[in-house]
Amino acid sequence: MRCPFCGNTDTQVKDSRPAEDHVAIRRRRFCPSCGGRFTTYERVQLRDLVVVKKNGKREDFDRDKLERSIRMAMQKRPIDPERVDQMISGIVRRLESMGESDVASDKIGEIVMDTLARIDTVAYVRFASVYKNFQAADDFEDFVHELRPPTAGEEEK
């Protein structure tokens, strides 16, 4: 593993332990050349996934991009970071086990939204606002209204 600080390719593993609910291995590494310490993660990759965008463009699936968007939606929410890691790993496993290498971006978005809806409603609405491209406050209002069950005095539309 190349040292991210000096580029030395002769780094040493100092500690290994399971991470993300035993679906990854966290390795603490040390560079004897510059003395830098850094962490790497090793995960099983069942297949190479390709994301098919709405416009037909294809790009390699990027777990880090998925993680960034989920963490942004969950920013400042009272959710344990380990739970977020487990959720991300679960989403990736679900995508890999679908049996196809090509996955529509819509499908990824729906899986993320389903998962977030079960964990944190605020993060769900935040993610949906970007995924569904809300343009005005009315978009938020309509979406949140769909989340709430109708009260006794309110008729369903």
Side-chain angles (χ1 to χ4, degrees), residues 8-130:
N8 180 24
T9 57
D10 185 30
T11 59
Q12 301 170 355
V13 174
K14 289 298 180 187
D15 178 47
S16 292
R17 62 180 60 173
E20 299 173 19
D21 203 25
H22 295 277
V23 296
I25 297 175
R26 176 182 177 268
R27 300 194 193 280
R28 290 291 300 148
R29 295 180 178 268
F30 171 76
C31 176
S33 178
C34 71
R37 294 180 176 271
F38 58 101
T39 303
T40 59
Y41 290 88
E42 181 180 320
R43 295 178 183 85
V44 172
Q45 183 174 334
L46 296 176
R47 64 173 37 98
D48 290 331
L49 296 174
V50 175
V51 178
V52 181
K53 302 285 195 167
K54 291 176 186 174
N55 64 6
K57 183 180 171 193
R58 301 163 58 87
E59 63 182 51
D60 291 338
F61 175 77
D62 184 355
R63 179 192 171 97
D64 293 334
K65 186 175 179 180
L66 174 68
E67 183 174 350
R68 280 190 307 273
S69 65
I70 290 172
R71 289 200 187 277
M72 193 175 302
M74 299 191 92
Q75 191 172 359
K76 296 186 181 181
R77 299 299 302 150
I79 307 297
D80 181 33
E82 185 68 24
R83 177 90 194 268
V84 177
D85 291 338
Q86 291 171 3
M87 181 185 78
I88 293 165
S89 293
I91 291 169
V92 172
R93 278 195 309 273
R94 189 169 163 189
L95 293 170
E96 289 176 338
S97 65
M98 287 173 47
E100 302 203 13
S101 296
D102 292 357
V103 181
S105 60
D106 289 347
K107 184 67 176 171
I108 296 170
E110 292 299 324
I111 290 172
V112 171
M113 285 184 47
D114 289 346
T115 307
L116 284 174
R118 285 181 271 141
I119 292 175
D120 187 82
T121 309
V122 172
Y124 171 62
V125 173
R126 286 177 178 170
F127 185 87
S129 71
V130 175

